[in-house]
Amino acid sequence: IAAGNVLWGQRDVQGQDKIISAFSSTSYLDMNAGISSYGKYGNVPLTDSAKTIILEKIAEKIGINHYVIEDTMEDNNSVKTLSQNSKNGDVICKFITIAQHAGGQDVSSEHYIYVGISLKNNIDSAFTYEKMVEEIMKDMEIDTTVTVNLKGEVQGKLGTDVKDALTEQMLSKMNAKVQAENKTDDAYTIYAYDSDIKNYITIGSNKVNINVSMYYDEEQNVTTVYFSTPINNEDY
């Protein structure tokens, strides 16, 4: 903790601890975390070997060494993917090349990097990995935001009043003020801002760095509760 205070600043550590504490105030059937970031790497031509080396350096910084690398096409874009799965979590890193065409030929390319880490049945180290991904992107001079999604499952379909109560329970443990909301039968999303958390995005003229969202899975009969910072970037 002392080392973290020196590296990240006491203000950031307090903000991270509050997020973990606020989310954990509800009893869930299961808790997981996802950390991800995506940004433009550049447009300099790169060989296949160079892309592999870049992904392997990312894997080394994360601390994985039993990964596999494969090449695929996604939406007509060339994608080189490094991945490793384990019982405690998964890592997936993608080097995406988007070719620009003219006259039926490739005239230029843009490169993008995606880094995603999922933690299974454990959220305590989510912000340790957030800082790790931030440093990886910074070292590659990629201007991007790292997103942390804490996820928990609650049995059954929840009414709006119950969702409101869960949201209030979580936000009451923070210095968060609601900035916008969308409550329908299909979507429940609350956007808030907490000045104790350094990162934020803007929606309109409002700062946002806390996002509560909930999704009901009819087949599983469970409601997934997302507590994200600065915003939930997953499909739900």
Side-chain angles (χ1 to χ4, degrees):
I1 293 175
N5 290 345
V6 172
L7 180 61
W8 303 327
Q10 181 66 35
R11 182 182 178 86
D12 296 342
V13 173
Q14 288 177 346
Q16 295 163 3
D17 287 346
K18 285 201 306 180
I19 294 172
I20 295 291
S21 175
F23 182 72
S24 301
S25 64
T26 299
S27 297
Y28 298 102
L29 302 174
D30 190 18
M31 286 197 299
N32 302 285
I35 304 92
S36 63
S37 188
Y38 174 84
K40 185 176 180 180
Y41 181 76
N43 52 16
V44 176
L46 293 171
T47 65
D48 188 71
S49 297
K51 296 176 184 179
T52 298
I53 290 172
I54 291 169
L55 289 177
E56 289 178 337
K57 287 184 177 179
I58 294 174
E60 181 181 0
K61 291 178 180 179
I62 294 174
I64 58 173
N65 53 22
H66 296 293
Y67 49 78
V68 296
I69 298 177
E70 60 179 353
D71 294 297
T72 59
M73 295 294 294
E74 298 179 9
D75 298 325
N76 295 320
N77 300 318
S78 171
V79 180
K80 184 178 289 292
T81 302
L82 178 151
S83 61
Q84 178 171 314
N85 302 324
S86 73
K87 65 178 183 179
N88 296 321
D90 304 325
V91 175
I92 182 167
C93 304
K94 293 185 177 184
F95 195 107
I96 304 161
T97 300
I98 300 177
Q100 307 295 320
H101 304 285
Q105 296 182 339
D106 294 347
V107 295
S108 63
S109 297
E110 292 184 345
H111 306 298
Y112 294 83
I113 297 286
Y114 169 83
V115 178
I117 300 172
S118 61
L119 305 177
K120 301 175 183 177
N121 303 312
N122 177 26
I123 65 172
D124 293 340
S125 56
F127 289 99
T128 299
Y129 282 102
E130 179 207 34
K131 179 56 63 176
M132 185 183 296
V133 174
E134 282 183 349
E135 291 298 326
I136 289 171
M137 292 302 200
K138 181 179 179 181
D139 289 345
M140 292 190 292
E141 299 183 348
I142 296 176
D143 184 16
T144 185
T145 298
V146 180
T147 296
V148 178
N149 289 317
L150 307 181
K151 297 174 284 186
E153 292 183 349
V154 179
Q155 189 67 48
K157 184 176 183 179
L158 307 181
T160 301
D161 56 340
V162 177
K163 293 178 182 178
D164 286 343
L166 285 177
T167 300
E168 173 60 26
Q169 178 174 298
M170 290 186 286
L171 294 184
S172 66
K173 291 183 172 292
M174 307 187 68
N175 185 34
K177 296 182 179 180
V178 175
Q179 302 287 61
E181 58 185 36
N182 179 29
K183 302 177 184 179
T184 67
D185 290 338
D186 297 326
Y188 182 95
T189 303
I190 303 293
Y191 300 101
Y193 176 70
D194 187 332
S195 59
D196 288 336
I197 300 171
K198 65 169 186 174
N199 294 328
Y200 66 88
I201 63 170
T202 56
I203 297 180
S205 59
N206 296 322
K207 294 180 180 179
V208 169
N209 55 17
I210 293 293
N211 182 196
V212 179
S213 49
M214 303 187 196
Y215 166 76
Y216 174 64
D217 186 329
E218 188 174 356
E219 292 185 2
Q220 301 294 326
N221 190 31
V222 296
T223 297
T224 301
V225 179
Y226 295 86
F227 199 67
S228 311
T229 180
I231 195 171
N232 185 356
N233 63 348
E234 296 189 6
D235 293 330
Y236 66 94

